[in-house]
Amino acid sequence: MSPRLPSFVDQDFMRQLERLELVVRKSAVGKTSGERRSIKKGRSVEFADFRDYAPGDDTRLVDWNAYARLERLFLKLYLEEQEATVNLLLDASGSMSWGEAAADKGLFARRVAAAIGYLALRAYDRVAVGALADDLVGYLRPVRGMASLWRLWEFIEGAKGDGLTHLARSVRSCGRFITGPGVTILISDFLAPTGYQEALDYLLFLKQEVTVVQVLAPDELQPALSGDLRLIDRESGASCEVSVTPGLLRAYRRRLEGFREELSGFCLTRGISFISISSATRLEEALFDWLRRAGLVS
């Protein structure tokens, strides 16, 4: 059965995805053959070994001469061409369930993750997904090949926002599964009471090539509030009474911009790619403009 399209992806968007390719700027070394360049290059393309063919493998690497002799499918492995593991870490905490229906942060984050996962599978990379909240609340072990697309998208669709945010604890729990160098894309609003620094440093410790995608709702970027209000925390349920004035809104916007600049600067000093984007952005623009400018797709 062909993989079903998620409700947020249509055929036109799929055609546009065909024009993109996931980029790994460094050499992310995997264990089996793929399309990434290993740091351990041979002379030109150096043959390394054979292994049995598995569903989803790149048929271009099948040794058809061996098949003619033995009637078994073998893949030729090369030192220079190894797959990367792409880890998609998706914030599934309560704060991500925010925004108008057309600009819901969680929905936007799942759309971006689904698109990147598609590109990685098409490039014969392995893709794993972690759903993060107060801890790791869901994990899809690495899958490979376009035959796994439906399973990947089904998992991503189910990563709905709920619970508190604890990025450091969630990411450390992911460390049980991230066993070698690879590519990690962390998609979150980064509005975590316990901070984000420890989580990002831990991913670098795991030898990951990290991209941060911060997603904020339009109402967070430019809140249209006034008067006496009772504000309720989306995750903890705590509330406070405030009188919203133009001066308070200006102070809020300065504080938010300072937070975004702090996160951007932290990433810059560590060689982490950083994108901050509104959930009202058209998905096509997010993929074909923002992610391309970050060097994640080409």
Side-chain angles (χ1 to χ4, degrees), residues 26-37:
K26 302 174 190 172
S27 297
V29 182
K31 295 182 180 178
T32 58
S33 180
E35 291 196 337
R36 299 291 180 219
R37 295 293 181 181

Side-chain angles (χ1 to χ4, degrees), residues 89-96 131-137 162-174 186 188-200 202 235:
L89 303 187
L90 192 58
D91 188 341
S93 65
S95 68
M96 293 298 286
L132 316 180
D134 61 335
D135 205 333
L136 182 64
V137 295
D162 192 22
L164 300 173
T165 306
H166 200 306
L167 289 178
R169 183 161 54 212
S170 300
V171 169
R172 283 194 172 273
S173 294
C174 288
L186 176 53
S188 171
D189 56 16
F190 289 88
L191 302 177
T194 54
Y196 55 82
Q197 295 89 341
E198 183 182 342
L200 296 180
Y202 185 65
E235 295 184 356

Side-chain angles (χ1 to χ4, degrees), residues 53-275:
Y53 172 85
D57 283 335
D58 185 355
T59 55
R60 293 174 296 179
L61 301 177
V62 170
D63 188 327
W64 296 108
N65 290 329
Y67 177 76
R69 295 194 308 272
L70 304 173
E71 295 187 353
R72 286 183 59 187
L73 291 174
F74 294 94
L75 254 64
K76 292 182 283 189
L77 306 184
Y78 297 92
L79 289 180
E80 199 180 36
E81 297 180 357
Q82 298 188 352
E83 70 182 5
T85 297
V86 177
N87 302 293
L88 298 172
L89 303 187
L90 192 58
D91 188 341
S93 65
S95 68
M96 293 298 286
S97 295
W98 177 257
E100 299 296 330
D104 181 273
K105 287 194 296 184
L107 177 60
F108 184 86
R110 292 192 297 275
R111 285 173 171 171
V112 171
I116 294 173
Y118 168 86
L119 295 174
L121 290 180
R122 198 185 68 186
Y124 302 100
D125 293 323
R126 301 194 312 163
V127 181
V129 187
L132 316 180
D134 61 335
D135 205 333
L136 182 64
V137 295
Y139 185 76
L140 176 67
R141 291 183 178 274
V143 296
R144 184 178 59 211
M146 294 302 286
S148 301
L149 186 61
W150 181 87
R151 184 180 172 197
L152 175 73
W153 278 350
E154 183 180 47
F155 182 90
I156 290 172
E157 277 195 293
K160 303 292 178 65
D162 192 22
L164 300 173
T165 306
H166 200 306
L167 289 178
R169 183 161 54 212
S170 300
V171 169
R172 283 194 172 273
S173 294
C174 288
R176 302 195 306 265
F177 305 101
I178 300 175
T179 57
V183 179
T184 293
I185 300 157
L186 176 53
I187 307 171
S188 171
D189 56 16
F190 289 88
L191 302 177
T194 54
Y196 55 82
Q197 295 89 341
E198 183 182 342
L200 296 180
D201 279 340
Y202 185 65
L203 289 174
L204 295 177
F205 170 76
L206 294 175
K207 299 181 179 179
Q208 297 302 293
E209 178 186 331
V210 183
T211 294
V212 159
V213 181
Q214 183 188 38
V215 180
L216 295 172
D219 288 345
E220 292 172 323
L221 294 167
Q222 295 289 339
L225 302 175
S226 63
D228 297 330
L229 300 172
R230 181 168 177 260
L231 302 181
I232 301 174
D233 187 284
R234 185 75 175 186
E235 295 184 356
S236 68
S239 64
C240 66
E241 307 287 339
V242 297
S243 294
V244 180
T245 64
L248 182 65
L249 288 177
R250 285 194 296 271
Y252 166 84
R253 285 192 287 267
R254 285 196 301 268
R255 182 78 176 268
L256 177 62
E257 191 56 34
F259 172 70
R260 296 171 79 187
E261 289 177 359
E262 175 192 276
L263 176 57
S264 174
F266 183 88
C267 292
L268 179 64
T269 61
R270 286 159 172 76
I272 295 172
S273 294
F274 172 74
I275 306 164

